Amino acid sequence: MRTLAWAALCVAGWMGGQSGPAQAAPPPGTVEAAQARDTAVLQRERARFPGAFAQAYAAYPAIPRGTLEAVAYAQSRWRSLRPAHDAGAGHHRMPPAWGVMGLYAGEGFADQVGEAAALLGTPAGRVRDDPATNVRAAALLLARELRGSDPDDVGALVGALARYAGFGAAPGRSAVDDHARTAFAFDVLLALDRGIDEDGIRVPARAIAWERAFPAEDLVRLRAPFVRLDVSADRIETEAYAVDPVDERLVRRSDAAGPDAGLQSTDYAPALWEPAHTGNYAASRTAAVGAVALHTAQGSYAGTISWFKNAAAGVSAHYVIRSADGQVTQMVRHAHTAWHVRSHNATTIGIEHEGYVDNPSWYTSAMYDASAALVRHLCAAYAAIDCASAYAGAASSGIQVLPDSVRIKGHQHFSGQTHTDPGIHWDWGRYHALLNPGAGAGTARVLDGFETGVGRFNTAPAYSGSTTGISAASTASRDCTVRRNGDCALRVLLRDDPGSSAAWSVRLLSGAGSPGSNAPLARANGRIGFWVHAGGSGMRVRVGIDDSDGTERSVARSVPADAWTFVEWSFADAAQWEAWAGGANGAITAQTVTLDAIWIERAQTRYDVNVRIDDVQIRN
């Protein structure tokens, strides 16, 4: 069977053997050039880590495979953190994290470095600076928390991760720190659930049973990707909870008692509300709000939240945004003064973005889109903040004071500052376009060109519960060997699930499935389309659009093998759409919609197939 499969695979042009012209280097001085340079350095560094992970698993077999890679992803995006040398270190006095595992060394958080060094009988400096020792130290601390637990018990893994996290008091002693620890465990499991294979980062996919990992209220609060649906009903069959068919997050049913209203922001509806410690901000304002300051946290999402809740911090920001899916947490009310940009605190709203200025891996499409959606809300709420006034120039790594007329800018652009975030990798041109959609746009606007990454399509192909027929080993990654436009495209490698005889139905989610993580698409005279290249015959593609009444799915388009084909659907033609989930009516009716997913379909087969996608675009 394997020989026959290989023959069929070759006939179908599985590898798509063409290669385009040599990849052009990005123009010097651009964000793309800086990202390409630093990504190349990171790829060389990351090549050393898999061996360290393998040695740690051999030494501590109780740790489920993939967990260490996922912890490293959540804490450092697979980069050896060296706070003494890193640009922007000490941002907001955040306790520094060390090494690829992001271990803390006290200074307000736990001394994971010192504790592991004592247990390993090695100098603390070696734990901080040597990658293999850093990984082994983290494995030792995590294995201690996993002792005696069932390796297949995801709930036990969540508990161990929460105890392992180095935020403040031990679990159960502080509700403040408990939320940060839960958020850390969620970040680790999210990386496992998606699986990651990009720029040398490899986290093996492991489907997470979210309902077994966290209590339902935590899943609602964390906006968990609860996508393993009862397909016939599009809901989880409990008395109190259901799955929202549009954003696929667990919610309380309308007839059930709601959670504490205090969990939701009253200033910005999509945000969670997690108040900072009252000693870290002023409960008043001495001037009117008139500007927005963007920051890079120099730390993780969970760590930043924990730090702003720590009485010793003396700093805060109004919002914190997660890299993986753009989740937004508000920590200071708009009417109060957060302490984040010195003499300009009284007039600014501060937004922290999870990550480190020297690592472009943190700046995802989901983060850009969520941040821009928040700032568009601020532009609508405050007459003095004009989205058109946002900085749109070149990124830089130093202090660059901009005039007060530029109302939306970085920490590094305000006078009297010492910090240089968001830094060289923040794409101000892209951000300005997101803040001002349609401004100066032509007839077509490319949503994802895949020139620097996977864009909005940052989930594994087998991520959604609606996907059938393919295995979790299927991948989606940026690839520069076969492309239609530019230098790169999205390569979707579909591997058959040998345990299933079902036809392939693959839902390639956009923005982790959250409409809030996607750029708004105008319905008026609109058409959504993309270029597609299939390495096998019999492929069909379609798109899902989140409408105001649910999710509409387009009719399928057939795609010939071994040729680039442009496929497109009109929002105005109801004959091109069918109802899929929620109260969908089979037509695009809302004035503004978002892209839910690209669907790829094929009859069941036993061989692997490559599908390339390029230049996902909207025309109005």
Side-chain angles (χ1 to χ4, degrees):
M1 178 58 73
R2 182 65 179 171
T3 303
L4 291 174
W6 178 255
L9 186 150
C10 290
V11 170
W14 171 61
M15 291 302 292
Q18 309 98 313
S19 61
Q23 184 176 349
T30 62
V31 170
E32 291 80 5
Q35 290 177 343
R37 180 195 65 227
D38 284 6
T39 296
V41 173
L42 287 167
Q43 285 178 314
R44 291 192 293 272
E45 179 181 1
R46 288 163 178 163
R48 297 179 294 168
F49 297 144
F53 293 134
Q55 292 174 3
Y57 285 124
Y60 303 99
I63 300 175
R65 293 280 172 161
T67 305
L68 295 174
E69 293 92 326
V71 170
Y73 181 77
Q75 286 293 89
S76 76
R77 292 299 190 268
W78 282 41
R79 173 177 180 261
S80 287
L81 302 175
R82 299 177 180 88
H85 307 288
D86 291 344
H91 184 68
H92 288 336
R93 297 191 293 161
M94 178 83 79
W98 292 86
V100 65
M101 303 306 293
L103 296 177
Y104 297 110
E107 301 185 47
F109 283 170
D111 186 5
Q112 295 174 309
V113 168
E115 186 175 5
L119 292 170
L120 289 173
T122 192
R126 187 170 180 81
V127 173
R128 290 194 300 265
D129 299 330
D130 176 63
T133 306
N134 186 264
V135 172
R136 188 178 180 91
L140 181 155
L141 296 176
L142 182 57
R144 181 181 62 182
E145 304 301 340
L146 282 165
R147 191 174 298 139
S149 62
D150 181 348
D152 295 324
D153 183 351
V154 68
L157 178 57
V158 167
L161 288 167
R163 292 189 297 272
Y164 163 90
F167 312 136
R173 296 182 183 177
S174 165
V176 167
D177 290 315
D178 280 356
H179 172 72
R181 289 171 181 270
T182 300
F184 167 73
F186 175 79
D187 285 348
V188 174
L189 265 61
L190 187 64
L192 278 170
D193 191 58
R194 290 178 173 178
I196 297 157
D197 187 355
E198 183 178 350
D199 293 329
I201 301 173
R202 293 182 176 84
V203 179
R206 171 187 173 185
I208 299 298
W210 292 102
E211 69 277 18
R212 297 178 183 172
F214 298 94
E217 285 300 337
D218 281 347
L219 291 171
V220 172
R221 188 173 181 76
L222 293 164
R223 309 284 175 83
F226 209 97
V227 294
R228 287 155 187 81
L229 309 181
D230 175 342
V231 177
S232 64
D234 279 315
R235 66 178 64 225
I236 299 299
E237 295 299 333
T238 69
E239 294 182 358
Y241 300 98
V243 170
D244 185 305
V246 175
D247 70 11
E248 295 185 331
R249 267 49 178 175
L250 189 69
V251 297
R252 279 185 173 270
R253 291 189 177 181
S254 58
D255 56 351
D260 180 0
L263 301 182
Q264 202 69 28
S265 164
T266 56
D267 287 326
Y268 181 57
L272 298 178
W273 170 240
E274 274 292 329
H277 190 277
T278 55
N280 294 334
Y281 65 93
S284 63
R285 277 197 184 271
T286 58
V289 173
V292 177
L294 305 187
H295 302 268
T296 295
Q298 291 302 104
S300 69
Y301 178 72
T304 303
I305 291 171
S306 180
W307 185 236
F308 289 167
K309 285 176 162 293
N310 191 314
V315 291
S316 61
H318 291 88
Y319 292 96
V320 184
I321 299 180
R322 183 161 59 198
S323 168
D325 60 358
Q327 185 184 88
V328 181
T329 290
Q330 183 177 9
M331 303 198 69
V332 178
R333 299 292 189 199
H334 291 183
H336 298 162
T337 303
W339 297 339
H340 60 108
V341 66
R342 293 190 172 189
S343 60
H344 300 275
N345 287 334
T347 59
T348 56
I349 299 288
I351 304 173
E352 287 283 357
H353 298 83
E354 175 186 30
Y356 292 85
V357 296
D358 288 341
N359 187 343
S361 304
W362 293 94
Y363 301 129
T364 62
S365 290
M367 173 179 277
Y368 274 114
D369 292 338
S371 179
L374 167 59
V375 174
R376 287 197 303 270
H377 170 80
L378 298 176
C379 291
Y382 296 97
I385 304 177
D386 182 0
C387 279
S389 75
Y391 178 59
S396 66
S397 57
I399 301 293
Q400 180 189 1
V401 178
L402 298 176
D404 291 344
S405 59
V406 181
R407 299 290 188 170
I408 301 164
K409 52 194 175 185
H411 191 170
Q412 66 195 112
H413 298 142
F414 287 84
S415 61
Q417 308 304 308
T418 59
H419 293 293
T420 59
D421 57 299
I424 193 65
H425 295 304
W426 185 262
D427 191 334
W428 288 104
R430 173 182 182 179
Y431 196 64
H432 189 278
L434 290 170
L435 292 176
N436 301 278
T443 57
R445 175 164 61 98
V446 175
L447 303 175
D448 283 292
F450 311 108
E451 295 303 285
T452 60
V454 295
R456 290 170 176 80
F457 299 92
N458 55 1
T459 57
Y463 178 60
S464 172
S466 52
T467 290
T468 58
I470 64 168
S471 80
S474 300
T475 59
S477 59
R478 169 174 161 265
D479 182 80
C480 302
T481 57
V482 180
R483 68 275 193 181
R484 176 58 176 78
N485 298 313
D487 296 315
C488 303
L490 182 72
R491 176 197 181 200
V492 185
L493 172 57
L494 303 179
R495 298 188 183 278
D496 183 50
D497 178 1
S500 170
S501 60
W504 288 3
S505 180
V506 179
R507 189 169 176 227
L508 189 64
L509 284 167
S510 171
S514 172
S517 295
N518 291 301
L521 310 177
R523 175 173 66 94
N525 300 314
R527 304 177 70 86
I528 182 81
F530 55 89
W531 288 94
V532 59
H533 180 286
S537 60
M539 307 299 297
R540 304 192 311 164
V541 294
R542 59 172 99 205
V543 294
I545 294 292
D546 286 325
D547 203 353
S548 57
D549 54 6
T551 304
E552 320 286 353
R553 192 168 66 166
S554 72
V555 297
R557 306 280 194 218
S558 295
V559 179
D562 295 326
W564 280 104
T565 303
F566 187 73
V567 291
E568 191 176 52
W569 297 265
S570 169
F571 291 156
D573 185 1
Q576 297 185 32
W577 301 92
E578 59 188 35
W580 182 63
N585 63 2
I588 305 297
T589 53
Q591 293 303 311
T592 301
V593 295
T594 58
L595 176 63
D596 170 70
I598 289 175
W599 289 76
I600 305 172
E601 300 171 340
R602 193 193 187 283
Q604 201 278 333
T605 183
R606 292 183 181 274
Y607 59 87
D608 302 340
V609 177
N610 272 309
V611 178
R612 264 85 174 191
I613 296 168
D614 204 358
D615 278 10
V616 181
Q617 58 192 261
I618 175 74
R619 296 173 182 267
N620 290 105

